[in-house]
């Protein structure tokens, strides 16, 4: 028999509109993992209720996240790709874990404190127990590997604590979930304005979305900050110039990159030409993904079928875990 593959689990918030940073930072890793591990990828629609109680746009946001990830290569035949709210077992495990989570530690969570500041009029209990729900998502499948960014490390540590507390109190059910990333893949995708990385919340003109039209991509790239060029050969690049090279390395062909590197080192670089080239290479990279997304979004039956298939796989795994959980907890009276 084939050795059992390690179990991977991660959640994606349905905030819609993925950008290039999401692609190179997360999705590309998911796509690689789905061949090597048993993967559960979940759209965290319940989590979004902690900050967005209005559900009018939830459906279209969920559809978009599904479509964008699939267009980027996530394969619903290989991984279980599902919605959190379709797996009722998550809510059950969340309830049990809430009895093992302490008010003090939850209040100390950095993301909780941030949200209290952002929405002082809606500090609901779901916000406080956000990390408990996230722990339930993960350990429901007895996952040991969780591909997440740095911002999720505290949540993951809490998930380990809750899992360990459960194990100590009721019996050894859950492996310790650990953050996992291919270490050669920690690629930084810089924003176009020379400050920080691409992100949803920052300057919209400095972030390239997979849904951006060709013209918008060109416009954004052409606005990237440059200067008069280096004053001496082989100069170190200022950050905003290095960023343009970094972006080029993500989407342009080797000879193109080499040409502009050597132009830079020889002090005859023309940033206008470089940005035009980068813009066209970005368009060639993003346009086919955008077209795929639109195709998928236009096919509601396909989306529905994806969600059903994913939910079925996730439910099978969840049901098996919850039988053990109830048994260990002594919640079996008949
Ligand atoms: N909290 C995660 C985020 O903000 C999303 C998430 C929900 C998640 N459940 C998860 C991530 C389980 C990893 C595992 O991005």
């Amino acid at each position: 028999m084939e050795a059992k593959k390690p179990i991977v689990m991660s959640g994606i918030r349905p905030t819609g509109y993925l950008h290039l940073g999401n692609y190179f930072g997360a999705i590309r890793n998911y796509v690689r993992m789905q061949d090597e591990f048993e993967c559960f990828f979940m759209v965290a629609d319940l989590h979004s209720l902690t900050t967005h109680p209005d559900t009018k746009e939830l459906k279209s946001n969920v559809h978009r996240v599904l479509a964008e990830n699939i267009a980027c290569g996530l394969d619903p035949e290989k991984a279980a790709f599902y919605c959190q709210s379709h797996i009722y077992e998550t809510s059950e495990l969340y309830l049990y874990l809430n009895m093992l989570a302490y008010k003090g530690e939850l209040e100390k969570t950095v993301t909780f404190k941030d949200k209290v500041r952002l929405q002082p009029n809606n500090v609901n209990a779901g916000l406080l127990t956000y990390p408990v729900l996230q722990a339930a998502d993960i350990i429901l499948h007895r996952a040991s590997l969780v591909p997440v960014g740095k911002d999720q490390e505290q949540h993951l540590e809490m998930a380990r604590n809750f899992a360990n507390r459960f194990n100590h109190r009721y019996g050894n059910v859950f492996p310790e979930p650990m953050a996992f990333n291919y270490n050669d893949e920690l690629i930084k995708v810089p924003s176009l304005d020379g400050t920080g990385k691409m992100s949803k919340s920052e300057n919209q003109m400095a972030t390239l979305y997979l849904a951006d039209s060709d013209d918008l991509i060109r416009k954004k790239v052409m606005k990237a900050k440059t200067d008069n060029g280096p004053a001496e050969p082989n100069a170190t690049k200022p950050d905003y110039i290095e960023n343009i090279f970094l972006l080029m390395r993500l989407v342009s062909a080797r000879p193109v990159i080499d040409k502009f590197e050597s132009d830079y080192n020889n002090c005859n670089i023309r940033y206008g030409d470089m940005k035009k080239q980068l813009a066209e290479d970005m368009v060639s990279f993003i346009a086919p993904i955008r077209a795929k997304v639109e195709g998928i979004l236009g096919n509601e039956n396909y989306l529905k079928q994806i969600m059903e298939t994913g939910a079925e796989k996730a439910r099978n795994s969840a049901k098996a875990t919850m039988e053990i959980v109830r048994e260990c907890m002594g919640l079996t009276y008949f």
Side-chain angles (χ1 to χ4, degrees), residues 16 19 23 49 66 76 81 154 201 248 256 272 302:
H19 52 69
Y23 178 83
L49 298 175
L66 289 167
F81 195 22
Q154 191 179 27
S201 44
M248 198 167 232
V256 170
Y302 173 70

Side-chain angles (χ1 to χ4, degrees), residues 9-11 13 42 44 47 130 134 137-138 146 148 152:
M9 194 278 150
S10 197
R13 268 176 306 166
M42 179 199 82
H47 272 115
Y130 184 113
Q134 182 163 343
D137 294 332
I138 299 167
V146 187
V148 284
Q152 294 297 309

Side-chain angles (χ1 to χ4, degrees), residues 12 15 22 48 65 69 83 85 90 99 109 122 126 142 164 170 213 240-241 245 254 282 293 309 318:
I12 308 160
T15 42
N22 300 130
S48 75
V65 163
N69 278 278
C83 284
S85 61
T90 308
M99 319 307 180
T109 315
N122 183 17
R142 284 170 279 171
N164 284 330
Y170 300 114
S213 70
Y240 51 92
I241 298 297
F245 276 97
R254 192 73 246 177
M282 277 295 170
V293 173
T309 313

Side-chain angles (χ1 to χ4, degrees), residues 44-61:
D45 55 347
L46 297 177
H47 272 115
S48 75
L49 298 175
T50 63
T51 49
H52 295 78
D54 184 345
T55 53
K56 265 201 302 294
E57 286 176 4
L58 199 48
K59 181 175 174 180
S60 71
N61 285 341

